Amino acid sequence: MHEPADTLAETGAAEYVRDLFDLSGRVAVVTGATRGLGLAMTRGFARAGAEVVVVSRKPDACDEVVEALRAEGAKAAACVCHVGHWDRLEGLGEDVYRDFGRIDVLVNNAGLSPVYGKLSEVSEELFDKVVGVNLKGPFRLAALVGERMMAAGGGSIINISSTGAVRPTGDIVPYAAAKAGVNAMTIGLAHAFGPTVRVNAIMPGPFLTSISRGWDMDLFAERARTFPLRRAGDPKEIVGAALYLAGDASSYTTGAILTVDGGAQWSMPGTGEVQQT
C-alpha cells in the first residue's frame, strides 16, 4: 500500500494525463479492423502512437487500411485471417509475434449477425457460423495471446460485445446469445489472466456504420427519441472507451463491461441493430 498523491505537482500534471492514454511503443492487434467500429479503434490506436496490426478476412481491405494509416505516418501492418476458423488463429498469433515480437493490446472486434426469417429457419450452419465468429474465435485468440501476455508481464484484451447481449430481440437471437457469452468469457478471462493481463469488454449500442445503411431511418429516428442522447453513435465515439481500456488509464480496471450506447439499452426493449465487421 502507498499514500495517495494529494496535489497536481505530485502526480506530474498534464504529462501524467497524456501518458495515461499514450500507446507509443505498444503493438495493438484489432480483428475486423477494416470498417465500422474496428476501423475507428484502429485509427485511434495508431494516432495514440501504437503500431497496429489490421486483421480481416479480406486482403484488399486490409491493404487499403494499412496504406491509409501509413500515409498518416502511422506504423501499420496487415494480417489476413478469418477469426471464425479455430485452426487459423494460432498462425495469426505466431505471425504477429514473429514480425513484432509482442502484442500489448488485443481487440476481439470481428463479428456478424446474418438476417434470418423464422427462428425455426435458422440452420445449424448459420448458428455455428455466428457462434464461431462472435464467441469461439475470440475465446481461442484471447487464450493464445493472453497466455503469452502473461509470460511477457502484461497486456490488455478488449472484447467487443453488444447491448443485444443484455437486451436481445427476436431478430438477433444467435448473435445475442454469442455476445452474452462474450460478456461471461470476459469476466472469466480477467480472473484467469490476472494480475498482469487485464481483460475487459465494450458493449456498444447502435452506431452509424456501414451496416446502418440498411436501417429504416425513419423508424430508427422514432426509436432514438427514447434514448437519453436521442441519436445513434458516430464510430469515432467508441475510440475514447477503447483508448481507456487499452492504455494505462485503466490500470485498475479488469473484468468490466463498459456500455457505450447513448443510454439506448435503458430506453427500449432491445434495438435489434447490430454491427457486422
Side-chain angles (χ1 to χ4, degrees):
M1 300 295 290
H2 58 82
E3 293 297 321
D6 293 322
T7 68
L8 285 177
E10 289 172 320
T11 61
E15 293 80 5
Y16 170 74
V17 174
R18 283 195 296 269
D19 288 346
L20 290 177
F21 297 92
D22 184 14
L23 299 181
S24 297
R26 304 188 194 188
V27 176
V29 177
V30 184
T31 69
T34 59
R35 59 176 178 166
L37 302 185
L39 178 57
M41 289 185 285
T42 300
R43 284 173 170 159
F45 293 154
R47 290 168 181 172
E51 298 181 60
V52 293
V53 181
V54 177
V55 181
S56 172
R57 61 188 175 86
K58 298 179 179 180
D60 291 345
C62 283
D63 291 341
E64 182 179 352
V65 171
V66 167
E67 183 178 348
L69 290 171
R70 288 175 176 172
E72 295 179 0
K75 295 180 180 179
C79 194
V80 178
C81 182
H82 191 310
V83 299
H85 294 169
W86 181 285
D87 58 353
R88 298 183 186 177
L89 296 175
E90 187 168 1
L92 168 61
E94 291 298 330
D95 287 347
V96 177
Y97 277 97
R98 181 194 65 227
D99 294 340
F100 291 89
R102 59 189 297 146
I103 297 176
D104 301 287
V105 181
L106 169 65
V107 182
N108 281 312
N109 169 73
L112 79 158
S113 181
V115 176
Y116 55 85
K118 295 187 298 183
L119 284 169
S120 59
E121 295 173 352
V122 174
S123 66
E124 183 177 14
E125 180 183 9
L126 184 148
F127 188 91
D128 288 347
K129 182 177 181 181
V130 171
V131 172
V133 173
N134 292 293
L135 179 58
K136 188 169 71 172
F139 166 77
R140 179 60 173 167
L141 191 55
L144 292 168
V145 173
E147 290 179 358
R148 296 184 74 156
M149 284 179 168
M150 288 179 68
S156 173
I157 297 174
I158 305 171
N159 297 317
I160 305 303
S161 180
S162 166
T163 51
V166 295
R167 300 297 292 272
T169 51
D171 55 335
I172 59 167
V173 175
Y175 175 83
K179 290 301 188 182
V182 167
N183 288 359
M185 177 183 77
T186 296
I187 298 168
L189 291 178
H191 183 269
F193 293 150
T196 55
V197 177
R198 296 176 294 105
V199 186
N200 297 285
I202 298 175
M203 195 163 66
F207 274 80
L208 295 175
T209 63
S210 57
I211 193 63
S212 66
R213 296 169 191 161
W215 295 356
D216 181 330
M217 295 308 297
D218 291 335
L219 176 61
F220 179 77
E222 185 66 24
R223 297 167 77 177
R225 289 175 57 199
T226 69
F227 300 175
L229 294 189
R230 311 288 195 272
R231 62 179 176 85
D234 182 284
K236 290 181 290 187
E237 293 179 296
I238 204 74
V239 175
L243 286 175
Y244 166 69
L245 294 176
D248 294 341
S250 59
S251 60
Y252 194 56
T253 303
T254 194
I257 313 296
L258 178 58
T259 304
V260 184
D261 71 342
Q265 67 165 315
W266 304 120
S267 303
M268 302 168 58
T271 66
E273 319 294 356
V274 300
Q275 302 298 317
Q276 296 185 12
T277 52

